[in-house]
Amino acid sequence: WVTAPAVKAQSKQLSTYSPAAAKKLLTDNGFTYKGNKLYDPKGNAVQLNIHVISGWSDWVASNQIITKNLQAIGIDSNVALEPDWASWQPNAMATKNPTLLWQGGSQGSPYGYFYANLSKNAYIPPGTDGTPTGNWEHYYDAQATTLLSKWKNTLNAKTQQTLATQLEKIWLNDMPIVPLFIGPRWSTYSTKFFHCFDTPKTFWGDPIFTTFPDNILSFTQICPGGKAGA
């Protein structure tokens, strides 16, 4: 879905690790440094503690990397460990505290991903649980809302691609959230009795068999009979 050279170039530039570029971006927007510490335009020292459940070891490790990166550009940042789901979830889902959150996304196209994060129809006000639509950043873009409405009403692949490119440009300019990594879909299968399972080259649905409606496709695509070495 990412085909425009300009979008690819901007995406690469934004995702390239560069503390120097990050510092310049901050100072260009009114932030200042006193020694190695960053201060906002109002003169307040910048602090960003990221909350996470202490038992989520992969999330904790991710946050430890992030806080070190933030410290490298002068931000006072630490991992704030919460004891359990009950203490973490209410503030996290309403994004009252900085945290990592998963995205609902979509399969087949990025429509659902853009819808959750850019559409006014998915907008949820600040301080409110963003789970119903995945709009945890409490943000929308008017132009993106119009483009998404057009996408929803067309099955023309070329038109969808054009709309996707426009939405990608808005995304990179607005950056409502910072995507970190793709959430993999874990599944296992055996070819002892069946074959024709999903592969990266023949992808037709979610490989997790309990996912509806993708599991209906599984019934129509998976072939009976073992196939050695498949």
Side-chain angles (χ1 to χ4, degrees), residues 10 29 60 74 78 94 100 107 110 128 142 153 171 189 229:
Q10 186 179 2
N29 285 275
V60 172
N78 297 281
L100 300 185
Q107 297 187 51
T128 308
N153 289 300
W171 177 272
Y189 62 85

Side-chain angles (χ1 to χ4, degrees), residues 3 16 45 56 74 83 85 140 173 217-218:
T3 58
T16 299
W56 290 4
W85 175 267
Y140 72 88
N173 288 328
L217 291 174
S218 297

Side-chain angles (χ1 to χ4, degrees), residues 32-196:
T32 57
Y33 280 93
K34 295 180 182 179
N36 293 323
K37 292 186 177 181
L38 180 68
Y39 289 79
D40 68 19
K42 295 182 178 180
N44 302 308
V46 180
Q47 184 182 43
L48 191 65
N49 292 330
I50 307 175
H51 292 247
V52 64
I53 296 176
S54 60
W56 290 4
S57 58
D58 53 342
W59 285 41
V60 172
S62 297
N63 278 329
Q64 288 172 339
I65 294 171
I66 293 168
T67 53
K68 287 181 179 178
N69 291 160
L70 294 174
Q71 290 166 8
I73 58 172
I75 297 175
D76 179 11
S77 181
N78 297 281
V79 179
L81 296 175
E82 302 279 3
D84 52 35
W85 175 267
S87 61
W88 174 82
Q89 186 269 338
N91 288 332
M93 297 302 183
T95 44
K96 294 179 180 178
N97 294 329
T99 186
L100 300 185
L101 283 171
W102 47 84
Q103 282 291 303
S106 56
Q107 297 187 51
S109 83
Y111 171 87
Y113 185 78
F114 288 137
Y115 176 84
N117 294 290
L118 292 176
S119 176
K120 187 176 182 179
N121 296 319
Y123 174 73
I124 292 179
T128 308
D129 188 345
T131 304
T133 63
N135 187 248
W136 282 296
E137 71 274 38
H138 316 291
Y139 179 86
Y140 72 88
D141 182 280
Q143 183 185 0
T145 302
T146 300
L147 294 172
L148 286 161
S149 294
K150 292 180 179 179
W151 190 333
K152 184 175 66 174
N153 289 300
T154 181
L155 295 175
N156 185 286
K158 290 184 178 180
T159 301
Q160 290 180 351
Q161 179 64 69
T162 299
L163 293 169
T165 299
Q166 294 178 69
L167 287 162
E168 288 157 7
K169 292 177 180 178
I170 293 172
W171 177 272
L172 293 176
N173 288 328
D174 292 6
M175 195 61 74
I177 64 171
V178 180
L180 297 178
F181 39 75
I182 295 173
R185 301 294 288 164
W186 303 107
S187 65
T188 59
Y189 62 85
S190 169
T191 56
K192 184 175 182 179
F193 299 110
F194 298 93
H195 61 286
C196 301

